Amino acid sequence: MAIAIIILLLIIGTVIFHFISPWYFTPLASNWSAIDNTVELTFWITGFVFVAVNLFLVYVLFRYRSRPGLKAEYEPENKKLEGWLTLATTIGIAAMLAPGLYVWGQFVKPPDNAMQVEAVGQQWHWSYRFPGEDGVLGKVDTRLVSENNPFGIDPSDPAGQDDILIFSNELVLPLEQPVKMLLRSKDVLHNFTVPQFRVKMDMVPGISSFLWFTPTRTGVFDLMCEELCGIGHYAMRGRVVVKEPDEFERWLARQVTFAQTQSRTAGDAALGRAQYMVCAACHGTQGEGNEGLHAPRLAGQDLWYLQRQLKNYQQGVRGTTEGDVFGGQMIAMANLVSDEQSMQHLLAYIGSLPEPVRAKADGDLRRGQQLYRNCVHCHGEQAEGSFHMNAPRLAGLEPWYLSRQIVYFRDRVRGGHPDDFYGAQMSLLVQSLRTEEDIDDLVAYINSLQPAQLARRD
């Protein structure tokens, strides 16, 4: 009787919790109400079976409870009962599967007027590509991926020259426009998921998969990878911003094409030298840095990373967070090279500077090596950095500067801006460094690394 009462209370509690639970679907923001309907139907069918089976169990426990003189009757087979159970189970499974198969048939047949957009997954960020005026996406090949061609677009394919490239985790789409998302992975298995749109699909290396949806309301919606893709999987987040069609067109017109990225002329170090004179006041004439002025070393750092940070300062992604005093000072300096060509000249000059002698850092190297295990996946075995992982070189950074940036990430002074996607990932990862001793040991180990060859990547 006690067991029967417990099961009955569990049935009642489960049903009540289902109806009052705060954890349920996010509000629908696409055309896929049919997916919600199929899930609701599944809930009702499985819920009915759950209640019916457990109520039957309560009845059996009560009806056939142990009593003096009551004996069990052995009946190994009951063809009539088995027949009814098989029929009921078949109907229930068919009722759950049929709507799902019907919706899946619609899910894999995008309408003819669907706009094509390519989403590219990579550890651990997103990027996107729109077709240009010709309406056709150019051919791609992972073997062509480089710093100057991160999408791996085939330069010999005329269809790819006007492709519009989005180097950001934020995807902007127009309201009430069907969208066919072409899904591609550069490295490992990822999954493209937008819960508010009720869409998700695996991204398999070497295969182009797809899905489609129609955004039905404006707003900002979460984009997630729901496939375990490595140590930074949980930080692989993005946003889908749905705007009115005219706002979307204005946004799209401001983006760069593949041809534009390839036509940029290389920077001239001689011209960049004059521009660097402003930087030299803090960072040193040879880019060696100055701890007294809180200016980090520039010589030897990846030029693609320096360019990204300059643009972050220009756009307010860095230097505007409370507590980032020194970053705030950099905003005015970064805006002195606001045009693309001036920035390339400056970077070319910085790239010509010799790498200065390293400072020494004290700490437990053995313990620091253990702590570095989480960093190695992006920044490399020798902290040499990786463009493909969006991870800058750490080897050679001054210990005081590296320590301060770790603290900034930990305290969300860096990585707190909504557009600082890579900073946000770092903020999550450094939470494992609990004490100042952890930071000191990690910095000491990074400082001890000596990459055999560090080709300056520009």
Side-chain angles (χ1 to χ4, degrees):
M1 283 298 296
I3 295 176
I5 292 173
I6 291 172
I7 293 175
L8 184 60
L9 291 175
L10 286 174
I11 297 171
I12 296 172
T14 301
V15 173
I16 292 174
F17 182 77
H18 171 77
F19 288 103
I20 68 171
S21 172
W23 301 298
Y24 207 61
F25 289 151
T26 53
L28 183 65
S30 79
N31 59 304
W32 286 117
S33 59
I35 292 180
D36 283 2
N37 294 337
T38 58
V39 176
E40 287 280 2
L41 179 61
T42 301
F43 274 158
W44 281 106
I45 293 175
T46 55
F48 172 80
V49 172
F50 170 80
V51 172
V53 169
N54 282 282
L55 284 178
F56 176 72
L57 180 58
V58 170
Y59 167 76
V60 169
L61 288 171
F62 175 77
R63 175 68 176 81
Y64 301 103
R65 66 189 183 280
S66 177
R67 285 172 292 176
L70 186 65
K71 294 183 180 180
E73 182 179 342
Y74 179 65
E75 188 177 349
E77 294 185 10
N78 188 325
K79 293 185 177 180
K80 183 178 180 181
L81 178 60
E82 290 174 3
W84 280 109
L85 288 175
T86 302
L87 178 61
T89 303
T90 301
I91 294 174
I93 293 176
M96 289 190 293
L97 291 181
L101 292 173
Y102 174 75
V103 175
W104 176 256
Q106 297 176 319
F107 194 74
V108 295
K109 293 180 181 178
D112 295 336
N113 65 332
M115 176 179 67
Q116 288 195 352
V117 182
E118 181 185 64
V120 182
Q122 177 181 345
Q123 294 174 313
W124 285 278
H125 66 100
W126 303 93
S127 52
Y128 311 95
R129 184 166 60 122
F130 288 79
E133 294 183 2
D134 60 5
V136 179
L137 290 170
K139 297 178 182 178
V140 294
D141 191 328
T142 305
R143 291 171 294 186
L144 298 174
V145 172
S146 67
E147 292 179 25
N148 294 323
N149 185 8
F151 284 80
I153 298 173
D154 186 349
S156 64
D157 182 10
Q161 294 299 313
D162 64 348
D163 285 358
I164 300 170
L165 310 181
I166 311 299
F167 301 97
S168 168
N169 277 15
E170 183 173 284
L171 172 64
V172 179
L173 295 175
L175 181 68
E176 299 294 350
Q177 167 65 51
V179 179
K180 178 181 179 181
M181 297 296 306
L182 302 173
L183 310 176
R184 177 164 63 97
S185 170
K186 286 185 183 179
D187 39 40
V188 300
L189 193 65
H190 296 288
N191 182 282
F192 181 94
T193 304
V194 184
Q196 293 91 340
F197 294 166
R198 308 297 192 262
V199 294
K200 64 180 299 181
M201 184 69 70
D202 279 350
M203 308 168 77
V204 183
I207 298 176
S208 181
S209 53
F210 71 91
L211 55 80
W212 78 275
F213 56 87
T214 302
T216 55
R217 60 186 177 92
T218 57
V220 181
F221 307 101
D222 293 324
L223 167 61
M224 298 178 288
C225 173
E226 291 195 350
E227 194 73 51
L228 185 58
C229 59
I231 191 171
H233 156 70
Y234 64 96
M236 189 170 171
R237 307 295 293 268
R239 295 197 301 259
V240 179
V241 181
V242 180
K243 297 185 176 183
E244 295 290 344
D246 56 340
E247 290 185 81
F248 166 77
E249 292 298 336
R250 288 195 296 270
W251 171 83
L252 193 64
R254 296 194 298 268
Q255 310 309 313
V256 298
T257 65
F258 175 66
Q260 289 173 328
T261 63
Q262 302 304 295
S263 63
R264 294 170 179 166
T265 57
D268 187 323
L271 296 176
R273 181 175 185 176
Q275 294 172 322
Y276 183 75
M277 290 303 99
V278 178
C279 312
C282 295
H283 294 279
T285 56
Q286 296 298 306
E288 69 274 19
N290 187 328
E291 183 177 359
L293 294 174
H294 306 281
R297 176 184 302 172
L298 301 180
Q301 181 55 278
D302 294 316
L303 301 185
W304 61 265
Y305 179 73
L306 294 180
Q307 175 174 294
R308 189 168 80 194
Q309 297 314 303
L310 284 170
K311 290 185 176 180
N312 281 346
Y313 283 122
Q314 292 170 354
Q315 297 164 4
V317 176
R318 282 193 68 179
T320 56
T321 307
E322 184 179 354
D324 193 3
V325 178
F326 310 118
Q329 297 171 356
M330 267 298 299
I331 293 178
M333 300 297 103
N335 281 304
L336 294 176
V337 286
S338 56
D339 66 283
E340 184 69 27
Q341 200 56 58
S342 296
M343 186 179 294
Q344 294 305 317
H345 295 327
L346 174 61
L347 293 171
Y349 179 72
I350 294 174
S352 70
L353 297 174
E355 186 171 347
V357 178
R358 297 186 181 198
K360 189 177 186 308
D362 296 323
D364 185 335
L365 298 186
R366 185 183 297 274
R367 190 165 177 272
Q369 184 178 19
Q370 295 296 317
L371 294 169
Y372 187 73
R373 288 182 301 178
N374 287 341
C375 313
V376 71
H377 300 281
C378 295
H379 294 280
E381 293 282 351
Q382 297 297 316
E384 70 274 16
S386 170
F387 165 76
H388 299 288
M389 301 296 290
N390 281 285
R393 174 188 172 182
L394 300 180
L397 285 177
E398 305 98 314
W400 64 265
Y401 180 74
L402 189 53
S403 296
R404 190 172 76 195
Q405 297 313 300
I406 292 174
V407 172
Y408 275 8
F409 282 123
R410 185 192 65 189
D411 297 342
R412 300 288 286 179
V413 175
R414 282 190 68 178
H417 191 281
D419 291 331
D420 191 3
F421 293 105
Y422 308 120
Q425 293 179 357
M426 274 298 302
S427 293
L428 291 170
L429 290 169
V430 300
Q431 298 305 317
S432 61
L433 303 173
R434 302 289 184 181
T435 66
E436 296 303 316
E437 184 183 6
D438 289 342
I439 296 176
D440 291 342
D441 293 343
L442 175 61
V443 169
Y445 177 73
I446 293 173
N447 185 255
S448 72
L449 298 175
Q450 298 282 349
Q453 286 186 331
L454 284 171
R456 185 169 283 113
R457 297 176 285 275
D458 51 21

